[in-house]
Amino acid sequence: MENLLHSTPSHTSVPSCFVLPSRHLKPATSAAVSLPIIDLSCSHDEVCRAILDAGKDFGFFQVVNHGVSEQAMRDMKAVCKEFFQLPMAEKADMYSEDAKRANRLFSGTVFKTGNVRCWRDCLSLSCSFPVGDSAKEWPDKPHRLREVIGKFTVLTRGLGMEILRLLCEGMGLGHDYFEGDISGGNVILHVNHYPPCPDPSLTLGLHPHCDRTIITLLLPSMVPGLEVAYKGDWIKVEALPNAFVVNFGSQMEVVTNGLLKSIEHRVTTNSAAVRMTVATFIRPTADCVVGPLENFVSEDNPPRYPTIAFREFERIYEENLKNVGKEI
């Protein structure tokens, strides 16, 4: 529990285990580049095209008028804030450094670069459907946490699946291609808590990485921090109120044989304010075999990725993370 950053109310310096080599801290570009904003209330054909175009160009976009109520979003932010404000003793049973534990509270141990830790604490929760059975393994404090997170997860998964249906239509696929095992793994929620950092020039909240998912939906913070790789630079994401930031993961890149990209992103820190976000990850089942779809393969564009079970992909992904650390 002593590893949790928010266990210390105010940090006066950055411990050496969080300090990154300067070459990994290239600042974001000052150019005026913004993520596409997609209004899901627009015409069906327009939305289908916009999602496909955003996926090809950025791999990231923001959605508005998405059907998740402002109340559900406010409740989610509030209950997550309440959780991190609980006394440490009331969170102790959730704390674990074991990455294989499905539901846990940990500090900066997922993405490592040269064994340098990330400046964040995270509550990671696994959700199967129906939600009721999963919720029994979640924290029981605050008292409304299970109810609020369960409702939020159902809503965000529903939004993610609707975006996938619209994308399929834009690509000329059957609208239900992403139904079933390819999106049927447990939904993973990461409640990310980034405490104020005494020297943001030395560390990152999350190191550059790509998601291993089909699609990720982020309930962002109005406190800036998320940055996306774009044409050799980093661009800052200016989150819109009541919007979700959406990005495609590595499994989407594989299925489309590189047509849609899984784009690197990172999180910077700040010295003034707590930043909190909630990421919803929609993933295949462990045994789902994922590979380039024949629609995206031709003599001029042969398969760029192997066809393997998601379980094996995750093993390779984790091994690559370890190898990145050895290169520092």
Side-chain angles (χ1 to χ4, degrees), residues 248-274:
F248 297 127
S250 299
Q251 299 304 291
M252 180 65 76
E253 182 170 331
V254 169
V255 166
T256 63
N257 203 32
L259 176 68
L260 302 179
K261 300 295 185 183
S262 178
I263 301 298
E264 272 198 324
H265 47 289
R266 69 182 186 180
V267 176
T268 59
T269 60
N270 77 87
S271 60
V274 170

Side-chain angles (χ1 to χ4, degrees), residues 45-113:
D45 289 347
E46 182 181 350
V47 172
C48 291
R49 286 194 302 270
I51 292 172
L52 179 57
D53 289 345
K56 289 179 178 178
D57 191 15
F58 283 88
F60 271 78
F61 51 94
Q62 297 192 66
V63 293
V64 297
N65 293 321
H66 42 64
V68 179
S69 71
E70 292 182 23
Q71 186 63 54
M73 298 168 81
R74 284 196 299 268
D75 287 348
M76 186 64 180
K77 291 178 180 179
V79 81
C80 292
K81 181 178 179 180
E82 290 172 27
F83 174 81
F84 279 97
Q85 290 178 336
L86 289 171
M88 286 295 161
E90 296 187 28
K91 301 189 285 270
D93 61 335
M94 289 301 301
Y95 180 78
S96 176
E97 296 284 354
D98 181 4
K100 294 181 180 179
R101 181 173 163 179
N103 300 282
R104 67 186 183 116
L105 175 64
F106 62 93
S107 183
T109 56
V110 174
F111 298 104
K112 291 187 177 182
T113 304

